[in-house]
Amino acid sequence: MSGFISNTQADVQQMLKVIGVGSIDDLFADIKSHHRPRSFDIPSGRSEFEVMEHLYRVAADNASYLVSFLGAGYYDHYVPAAVNALASRSEFYTAYTPYQPECSQGTLQALFEYQSLICTLTGMDIANASLYDGGTALYEAMMMAIRITGKKKIIMDGGVSPIYRKIIRSYTSNLDIEFQETPVAHGRSDRSQIMKILDDRTAAVILQNPNFFGAIDDHEDIVGLAHAKKALVIESVYPISLGLLKTPGEMGVDIATGEGQSLGLPLNFGGPYLGFMASRKEYVRKMPGRIVGETVDTQGRRCFVNTLQVREQHIRREKANSNICTNVALCAIQSAIYMSLLGPKGLKDLASLIFNKAEFARQELARIAGVEVKRSSPTFNEFTVYLPRPATDIITKMAKKGFIAGFPLVRYYPGMDHYLLIAVTEKRTKEEILAFKSALEEAICS
Amino acid sequence: MQLIFEKSRPGRCGFSITRCDVGQEAKIPSPYLRKKECLWPEVSELDVVRHFTQLSQRNFSVDTNIYPLGSCTMKYNPKFTEKAAGIRGFADLHPLLPQLDHSLVQGALEVLYHMDRLLSEITGMDHFTLQPLAGAHGELTGVMLMAAYHRSKGNKKTHIIIPDAAHGTNPASAAIAGYDIVTIPTDKKGVLDLEALKKHVNSQTAGLMLTCPNTLGLFDSDVDKIAAIIHDVDGLVYYDGANLNAMMGRARPGDLGFDIVHVNLHKTFATPHGGGGPGSGPVGVKEHLSRFLPISRVIKARNGSYALDYDYPDSIGYIASFYGNFGVILKAYAYILMLGKEGLKEASEHAVLNANYIMEKLKAYYDLPFDRRCMHECVFSASRQEKKGVHAVDIAKFLIDQGIHPPTIYFPLIVKEALMIEPTETESKAELDILAQALIAAAQLADDDPARFKDLPKTMPISRPDEVKAAKDIRCNFFA
């Protein structure tokens, strides 16, 4: 028997006898002959060894060996071995949604801890147990703001990841939501533009910090303006930056979301990732997704359950806050392990380290003739540079020299052909940064 | 058990920071800095390892327990697929690399391309998008495809038809995409009520979402007639693939008249459920809908190289940040390659055999609202036990004390006191006999001494939690 099937031929015969049919085919009698597949042309099975050899060969066709300065919201951080060792406990990864709390306290407590870790990281009151990724989390936050305010106009800052903005636009194409986007000014949120269009009909202002170009901002003033119009503020954040930067909670933001990939998950070519969401406590009943709550058992012992399930689709069906069911619980647990290992000191040290490395890279690259480093606002671990030649040409040349040079902004911002977005993580050494600088000089001159 | 925060001791740290090899003179101006400390715990690596290992031991899981959770297909998750997803050339790959140069990611694109072809062949569809990140996300994508189709014809259709037996995600997904929901009852045979369907279908019908086999584990022999009724009003027929594990090699949604399909890779294709995700819910369509699929799409050039193509002006746009849960897709791909044609067919056969076997073993002890051949799962009712004051939830707690994860309870909603059992193909007769014995013992105890159920389970770290308190005095943050 293949396919991880445990029944033997003898088992099958006995089972068919108990059921009272002559063959397995008889069990499929409801599928009539005219329902049968017109084709089922799948290759024959292979051994585990053969499949692995095949996959190693396929993986070798990917350029994972280049020294990378590519980020744009997704960062190549080091993941301590303990993270995978613990997340690979099969009691975590082969369980499902904790519908039965008595035999799922492991998952439930881990998710409660995850929610608490996200709350203190972002400075918010409450968090849910995860959404798919940073982009869909931002979409869910926007829908939540619409539910809370009963209004349908959304102001979106041009510094919000264009990847996220595209998702939000696609999701709402069949809905009656009014969008207005404000371009960034000098690399940051343009207050005067936002003020101009912010009105009583506005449900939410959506911001990002650091923004897509890497610039750091303090959005507290925008929060004040928005609240005066009874609009909410949603801010998408890069979690590692919060080791140093002012939190959404400190700015008075209503809903904070973000991409949690940097909290202990590999880049995985785009997923699975982790969408986190935290908010002020008065909005807990409007929040989408699973929420783990603390309670007591019949003997008064502390325990944890999925709570406020009346918000969810399996109870409320078409009136639910969201259609989300399966989320990314394992990724949330994985990030909880990562956050616990780092602790407050590890987080702060890591944030300082990558800030310092990025500053070093920024200063070094600024010395190259023809390269302009935008300095209008401070940055964290990512920054935009102007190149004397189209960024896409430079990237191609740099790949031949062993580097992924960064992200060409022209892909999302027409006209920005010469702009390159460069990210630095703790994995990049001084030596690599200097080698990158030399290679870039050559690429520009050649 | 203590929370990780309660184990915190000032000065401990489980992380080894890399020495800073550059200058540290630069400073972020203070208005931009956080003032309030982040209260992550101060714990050593051993503290963290012990804590999470002990937490894991407070879970039932497929690797440790029989887990016949209906409609969730909790089959065994092969270990080699974990290894496959961890291969460095895949795991370390940045998702924006194709925006730089497709030649950097030929291997990853090859996997996506082949997965599209394999899923298309398994389900009888023409093209797949692998982007949806879970089943419900696939449903939303499917409904958006329906909307795009009708928009392209200048039609504004208003409702989507959904059977009362459907998962809650179906109506929730359709509502989020802007549609009204029309609910159709289940008939006495346990399938969609055809007469009721005919009454409700009209020119405003955008489409129908159908789970097949349905959540009662029953295959609707009229499925092709249902599709024709919807097609007659230019509606589209959506296949919810939650239960595809019954069908592989036996019937294909594409041949049955479905226009749109989603499959749950974390069910049928054996990727782990992760305590509630990550999942993956690819969506397949027939040729006439392919121009609406999300971008990007993977294409293969004449020279054999792969690329991402964004040039589909009618596309519904972007439904995920990238190409789907690639790590999950990779595991499912490895699983399909290993099982192959025969293995997939055999998986469905044993899934159906096991469900019918457990149904037969329990028939005498529990009410079976729809007493007929089932497919991959069967749904009993504890209504007989309820008369003694023993509810489905009580039986679930009894099973927990036997070391068995309970079946899905109280779903589908149309069955009173429902017990929904899906054994999957990877359980053996011997394990099913243990499951049957435990459920028979529960039925007998319900007869003999129903009061005994009230304080179950007794063998777990906790007894029954106070769910009302949890919702009333909401506490979801240790620090609040």
Side-chain angles (χ1 to χ4, degrees):
Chain A
M1 295 268 169
S2 64
F4 308 99
I5 285 164
S6 309
N7 289 326
T8 64
Q9 274 309 328
D11 288 336
V12 172
Q13 291 315 313
Q14 285 179 38
M15 292 164 85
L16 290 173
K17 212 170 147 194
V18 170
I19 298 166
V21 293
S23 72
I24 287 181
D25 280 344
D26 293 344
L27 298 174
F28 287 86
D30 284 338
I31 300 180
K32 308 292 180 201
S33 58
H34 65 280
H35 295 141
R36 296 279 158 80
R38 284 178 207 152
S39 149
F40 195 66
D41 186 18
I42 304 294
S44 287
R46 291 185 240 178
S47 70
E48 177 178 323
F49 168 70
E50 289 168 311
V51 175
M52 287 303 296
E53 285 300 299
H54 168 70
L55 291 174
Y56 283 124
R57 272 198 303 276
V58 175
D61 286 340
N62 294 324
S64 61
Y65 45 82
L66 300 173
V67 176
S68 177
F69 288 84
L70 175 61
Y74 309 88
Y75 300 99
D76 180 26
H77 289 290
Y78 181 74
V79 180
V83 174
N84 284 334
L86 292 168
S88 299
R89 293 282 306 188
S90 61
E91 298 94 326
F92 282 135
Y93 83 75
T94 73
Y96 199 22
T97 305
Y99 294 116
Q100 299 288 341
E102 297 89 345
C103 59
S104 313
Q105 281 301 297
T107 296
L108 286 163
Q109 184 173 328
L111 291 175
F112 180 84
E113 292 174 352
Y114 159 80
Q115 291 171 181
S116 307
L117 289 157
I118 291 295
C119 285
T120 181
L121 176 68
T122 55
M124 305 299 287
D125 303 325
I126 57 161
N128 72 9
S130 81
L131 298 163
Y132 306 131
D133 65 10
T136 57
L138 195 59
Y139 152 77
E140 290 277 11
M142 182 198 71
M143 296 301 283
M144 180 174 159
I146 288 171
R147 279 195 300 277
I148 291 168
T149 60
K151 300 188 271 184
K152 287 197 164 179
K153 175 174 156 180
I154 300 291
I155 298 175
M156 206 150 28
D157 186 282
V160 173
S161 167
I163 301 167
Y164 298 176
R165 282 187 280 141
K166 282 179 180 204
I167 294 174
I168 288 176
R169 291 288 190 145
S170 299
Y171 276 167
T172 51
S173 60
N174 213 34
L175 306 181
D176 173 31
I177 295 173
E178 181 189 343
F179 283 101
Q180 297 208 358
E181 297 200 6
T182 53
V184 294
H186 309 294
R188 300 205 306 165
S189 305
D190 187 340
R191 271 71 176 169
S192 65
Q193 282 294 323
I194 291 174
M195 259 173 75
K196 225 180 268 173
I197 54 173
L198 184 69
D199 58 17
D200 292 332
R201 295 185 302 116
T202 307
V205 181
I206 303 181
L207 306 165
Q208 179 173 317
N209 193 38
N211 72 13
F212 191 70
F213 306 100
I216 295 171
D217 207 337
D218 174 6
H219 291 131
E220 195 169 343
D221 56 334
I222 298 178
V223 170
L225 297 171
H227 285 176
K229 300 283 184 194
K230 295 202 158 42
L232 302 189
V233 173
I234 300 167
E235 191 184 55
S236 177
V237 290
Y238 167 36
I240 299 297
S241 76
L242 295 178
L244 291 174
L245 298 188
K246 186 165 176 176
T247 64
E250 288 170 315
M251 294 180 198
V253 161
D254 299 282
I255 310 169
T257 67
E259 174 53 67
Q261 175 270 325
S262 287
L263 298 170
L265 306 180
L267 284 163
N268 265 335
F269 201 50
Y273 283 169
L274 165 67
F276 63 83
M277 178 187 275
S279 81
R280 291 146 66 106
K281 61 176 174 295
E282 56 262 43
Y283 304 135
V284 66
R285 280 162 218 277
K286 301 287 182 190
M287 194 174 249
R290 311 261 187 227
I291 297 175
V292 176
E294 184 186 318
T295 186
V296 291
D297 72 1
T298 56
Q299 296 172 45
R301 290 174 293 199
R302 177 174 64 190
C303 60
F304 303 94
V305 294
N306 271 331
T307 193
L308 299 183
Q309 295 192 57
V310 289
R311 300 167 299 115
E312 293 189 56
Q313 46 76 27
H314 61 287
I315 312 277
R316 293 260 287 179
R317 300 178 80 83
E318 64 267 28
K319 295 190 177 65
N321 280 355
S322 163
N323 70 333
I324 196 163
C325 176
T326 291
N327 44 96
V328 290
L330 188 70
C331 303
I333 292 174
Q334 207 164 331
S335 78
I337 297 163
Y338 179 83
M339 291 187 268
S340 300
L341 285 168
L342 256 65
K345 183 170 186 302
L347 174 66
K348 210 172 188 175
D349 289 352
L350 179 63
S352 303
L353 180 64
I354 62 179
F355 166 72
N356 284 319
K357 288 193 180 237
E359 279 301 305
F360 176 74
R362 194 159 92 140
Q363 286 159 18
E364 288 298 323
L365 299 184
R367 293 171 201 228
I368 302 174
V371 172
E372 276 179 54
V373 175
K374 297 290 160 192
R375 282 184 169 280
S376 52
S377 51
T379 54
F380 177 62
N381 77 320
E382 194 157 23
F383 54 92
T384 303
V385 300
Y386 175 86
L387 302 173
R389 305 175 59 167
T392 46
D393 295 353
I394 298 290
I395 285 169
T396 307
K397 285 183 181 166
M398 292 293 281
K400 294 199 180 95
K401 296 172 188 289
F403 294 99
I404 297 167
F407 187 75
L409 284 170
V410 66
R411 289 278 183 258
Y412 294 124
Y413 297 89
M416 294 190 79
D417 304 61
H418 286 248
Y419 289 87
L420 182 67
L421 185 64
I422 294 173
V424 184
T425 69
E426 72 279 14
K427 282 186 171 178
R428 296 291 74 87
T429 62
K430 180 179 180 180
E431 214 177 358
E432 285 171 334
I433 293 168
L434 292 173
F436 179 75
K437 179 191 168 194
S438 310
L440 188 59
E441 270 174 323
E442 283 171 30
I444 288 168
C445 296
S446 66
Chain B
M1 188 173 152
Q2 280 189 315
L3 290 162
I4 190 81
F5 310 105
E6 294 161 343
K7 296 175 178 172
S8 181
R9 296 290 176 273
R12 280 190 194 160
C13 182
F15 182 69
S16 65
I17 189 82
T18 307
R19 192 180 59 79
C20 188
D21 55 359
V22 299
Q24 298 174 53
E25 305 79 36
K27 291 279 175 285
I28 297 172
S30 96
Y32 300 112
L33 296 177
R34 76 181 288 160
K35 308 280 181 297
K36 246 178 144 178
E37 286 294 305
C38 176
L39 301 175
W40 285 0
E42 296 182 66
V43 282
S44 68
E45 180 167 326
L46 176 59
D47 291 334
V48 174
V49 168
R50 234 170 235 168
H51 179 78
F52 283 96
T53 302
Q54 285 169 5
L55 279 184
S56 78
Q57 289 168 333
R58 296 178 146 224
N59 265 4
F60 278 14
S61 67
V62 172
D63 279 9
T64 50
N65 305 79
I66 303 173
Y67 210 122
L69 190 66
S71 217
C72 297
T73 315
M74 301 300 290
K75 61 171 76 177
Y76 170 67
N77 310 128
K79 299 302 164 195
F80 85 102
T81 65
E82 298 299 312
K83 190 174 165 190
I87 296 173
R88 223 190 126 184
F90 292 126
D92 289 355
L93 216 53
H94 196 290
L96 285 167
L97 282 175
Q99 300 258 14
L100 273 48
D101 189 341
H102 287 129
S103 72
L104 302 171
V105 291
Q106 284 298 300
L109 296 182
E110 181 183 333
V111 169
L112 294 173
Y113 182 84
H114 282 283
M115 196 60 172
D116 168 351
R117 295 294 84 227
L118 287 167
L119 292 176
S120 293
E121 182 63 18
I122 290 169
T123 58
M125 306 308 280
D126 294 314
H127 300 282
F128 261 79
T129 173
L130 306 179
Q131 289 181 33
L133 303 169
H137 200 212
E139 293 172 25
L140 177 59
T141 306
V143 178
M144 286 165 70
L145 290 167
M146 285 191 194
Y149 169 80
H150 294 306
R151 244 194 333 263
S152 78
K153 300 184 103 182
N155 297 332
K156 171 122 184 73
K157 297 198 174 216
T158 53
H159 70 250
I160 286 183
I161 293 182
I162 298 173
D164 60 358
H167 292 108
T169 48
N170 285 183
S173 301
I176 280 168
Y179 283 105
D180 297 330
I181 313 303
V182 173
T183 308
I184 302 293
T186 300
D187 71 10
K188 288 199 179 90
K189 290 179 295 180
V191 293
L192 190 72
D193 186 331
L194 258 184
E195 292 313 308
L197 177 69
K198 284 178 194 161
K199 258 183 239 160
H200 284 94
V201 170
N202 58 42
S203 61
Q204 291 307 303
T205 304
L208 164 83
M209 299 177 87
L210 196 69
T211 307
C212 173
N214 66 16
T215 60
L216 295 161
L218 305 174
F219 183 86
D220 196 330
S221 302
D222 286 335
V223 58
D224 34 357
K225 285 185 202 149
I226 293 169
I229 291 169
I230 302 298
H231 286 152
D232 277 349
V233 296
D234 196 25
L236 295 171
V237 192
Y238 180 93
Y239 178 88
D240 179 323
N243 295 339
L244 185 69
N245 203 41
M247 303 256 286
M248 288 185 290
R250 289 284 171 171
R252 304 190 309 170
D255 300 334
L256 300 175
F258 288 93
D259 305 288
I260 308 170
V261 164
H262 96 255
V263 300
N264 299 76
L265 299 186
H266 51 290
K267 294 180 180 177
T268 311
F269 301 105
T271 71
H273 284 67
S280 174
V283 167
V285 296
K286 289 286 186 59
E287 192 63 57
H288 68 289
L289 297 175
S290 74
R291 65 192 171 107
F292 303 113
L293 280 174
I295 42 180
S296 60
R297 291 171 61 181
V298 185
I299 54 166
K300 188 174 182 179
R302 285 220 183 88
N303 67 5
S305 69
Y306 301 92
L308 293 173
D309 190 358
Y310 293 82
D311 190 16
Y312 298 91
D314 297 326
S315 164
I316 59 169
Y318 298 81
I319 60 109
S321 302
F322 299 106
Y323 328 104
N325 274 339
F326 182 77
V328 178
I329 293 163
L330 195 57
K331 292 178 201 182
Y333 179 61
Y335 175 81
I336 293 171
L337 289 186
M338 183 172 181
L339 263 65
K341 180 181 185 161
E342 303 77 15
L344 293 176
K345 202 160 171 269
E346 204 169 39
S348 285
E349 288 173 355
H350 282 256
V352 171
L353 174 69
N354 283 355
N356 277 284
Y357 178 70
I358 198 80
M359 183 171 81
E360 206 59 43
K361 296 278 277 190
L362 295 175
K363 251 181 183 175
Y365 305 91
Y366 292 91
D367 288 344
L368 189 60
F370 303 98
D371 187 3
R372 48 181 280 198
R373 266 302 130 262
C374 70
M375 300 294 284
H376 66 300
E377 67 190 357
C378 57
V379 180
F380 284 98
S381 164
S383 53
R384 207 185 300 174
Q385 289 72 28
E386 191 214 356
K387 292 192 185 92
K388 302 262 182 180
V390 176
H391 295 266
V393 65
D394 300 316
I395 292 163
K397 305 311 179 193
F398 178 92
L399 290 176
I400 291 174
D401 272 343
Q402 311 300 310
I404 293 169
H405 192 287
T408 297
I409 52 174
Y410 301 109
F411 187 83
L413 306 174
I414 53 172
V415 173
K416 213 174 116 192
E417 298 290 334
L419 294 165
M420 184 194 213
I421 307 174
E422 180 182 10
T424 83
E425 71 278 11
T426 55
E427 293 300 329
S428 66
K429 175 181 175 295
E431 296 291 311
L432 297 179
D433 287 337
I434 293 169
L435 172 62
Q437 275 164 21
L439 275 159
I440 292 167
Q444 283 164 348
L445 187 64
D447 268 341
D448 299 342
D449 192 0
R452 287 263 300 280
F453 282 91
K454 286 302 159 205
D455 57 351
L456 302 184
K458 287 184 163 174
T459 58
M460 292 292 106
I462 64 158
S463 58
R464 291 193 208 193
D466 185 345
E467 312 245 6
V468 176
K469 179 182 159 58
K472 210 172 102 231
D473 314 328
I474 176 79
R475 183 159 196 250
C476 58
N477 170 13
F478 173 76
F479 302 103

